[in-house]
Amino acid sequence: MKIIDYNKTFDKKKIASSAYRICESAQFPVAYQDVYEHLFANEHLILKLLMDDERNLAGFGVFENYQFFFEKQELTMLYLSGMVIDPKYQGRNISSEIIKNTYNQVLSDFISLRTQNIAMAKALLNLFDDNLFAMPRGINEEALYTLKQTLPFQNMNPSGVIPNCYVNQLYKDLNAIYETFGICLQEKDALAVVIEPSQNKQKVLSRFQKKKEK
């Protein structure tokens, strides 16, 4: 298995068709056109492709970079906007490897996602267990206000939930979110997960966490 960066020499239609088949295999409810647009509509996206030993697409991760300000500092946040792995390769920590590969490439101040999938939430939290700040466990008013500057989290509520984020429910078992974090999601809601890795020298949101601990 190999993680590679998409570049413009690749056949977009071939990649989109393969990605759509993977979504179908994973029982992820999405149309082909939605897959194509998610992968290629924004030229500023970071697209990671997981290739098997025969150079066939086995999964993909789509990331965006956001900039926002805190106390006159410009900060960056790497946001995972979508990831699907072929079911036959799931359970091998591949999602974590794609996230780590991308973060090490851009070294943003924060890394984040919003999801109904407990496996993805845990993958991000476990990957950066040596962190300065982590949501949803460390959310508070100051962190909430700061993160709402970014598009993915502008509608986030004080529980770290983005209400009505999706058109419909994407995953059947939302109880896993409650059992893990004590947060109840409605069928169209998403959970926000944000990490400030310990490599971050600015120590931004961790200031709020330390205030709360006192």
Side-chain angles (χ1 to χ4, degrees):
M1 306 294 289
K2 188 175 182 180
I3 301 168
I4 65 172
D5 293 296
Y6 164 78
N7 68 65
K8 293 181 179 180
T9 66
F10 295 176
D11 187 327
K12 290 183 178 180
K13 290 184 178 179
K14 183 177 179 180
I15 292 173
S17 295
S18 297
Y20 177 62
R21 286 196 294 271
I22 291 169
C23 289
E24 283 191 313
S25 297
Q27 298 183 332
F28 192 79
V30 65
Y32 168 80
Q33 190 59 33
D34 292 333
V35 173
Y36 186 92
E37 291 178 1
H38 190 66
L39 296 177
F40 304 116
N42 184 345
E43 64 180 13
H44 300 295
L45 293 176
I46 300 171
L47 175 56
K48 295 286 183 173
L49 305 176
L50 177 70
M51 312 302 292
D52 66 17
D53 294 338
E54 297 178 354
R55 299 285 295 176
N56 295 314
L57 189 68
F60 61 91
V62 184
F63 297 81
E64 300 175 62
N65 254 323
Y66 288 93
Q67 287 79 41
F68 61 104
F69 289 88
F70 174 76
E71 296 182 351
K72 298 182 180 181
Q73 298 180 77
E74 184 177 45
L75 306 174
T76 57
M77 181 171 71
L78 180 65
Y79 170 69
L80 171 58
S81 64
M83 182 179 294
V84 183
I85 306 298
D86 191 312
K88 63 186 177 183
Y89 298 115
Q90 291 178 9
R92 304 185 188 182
N93 294 320
I94 292 174
S95 296
S96 295
E97 288 301 314
I98 294 174
I99 294 171
K100 184 177 180 181
N101 175 283
T102 310
Y103 175 77
N104 287 338
Q105 179 179 320
V106 302
L107 292 176
S108 56
D109 295 305
F110 306 100
I111 182 166
S112 65
L113 56 83
R114 59 188 189 187
T115 189
Q116 289 185 346
N117 184 353
I118 188 62
M120 287 305 304
K122 286 183 175 179
L124 183 55
L125 290 168
N126 292 338
L127 185 59
F128 294 94
D129 57 351
D130 180 17
N131 62 70
L132 298 169
F133 173 91
M135 274 181 50
R137 295 189 289 249
I139 191 168
N140 53 69
E141 289 183 8
E142 295 97 330
L144 177 70
Y145 175 80
T146 302
L147 292 168
K148 286 180 73 170
Q149 295 181 57
T150 61
L151 182 62
F153 305 123
Q154 64 180 0
N155 296 319
M156 183 168 59
N157 69 27
S159 298
V161 173
I162 301 95
N164 297 311
C165 183
Y166 305 119
V167 176
N168 48 45
Q169 185 170 329
L170 301 180
Y171 292 88
K172 295 179 181 179
D173 185 13
L174 299 184
N175 287 330
I177 298 289
Y178 179 78
E179 291 168 358
T180 304
F181 303 110
I183 295 173
C184 184
L185 295 184
Q186 301 302 312
E187 62 180 12
K188 299 179 183 179
D189 296 347
L191 177 71
V193 182
V194 180
I195 300 291
E196 183 182 4
S198 60
Q199 298 98 314
N200 180 7
K201 296 180 181 179
Q202 293 177 322
K203 301 181 180 178
V204 179
L205 296 184
S206 54
R207 300 179 198 176
F208 303 148
Q209 196 169 48
K210 289 175 183 176
K211 286 180 183 178
K212 188 175 181 182
E213 288 171 356
K214 290 179 181 179

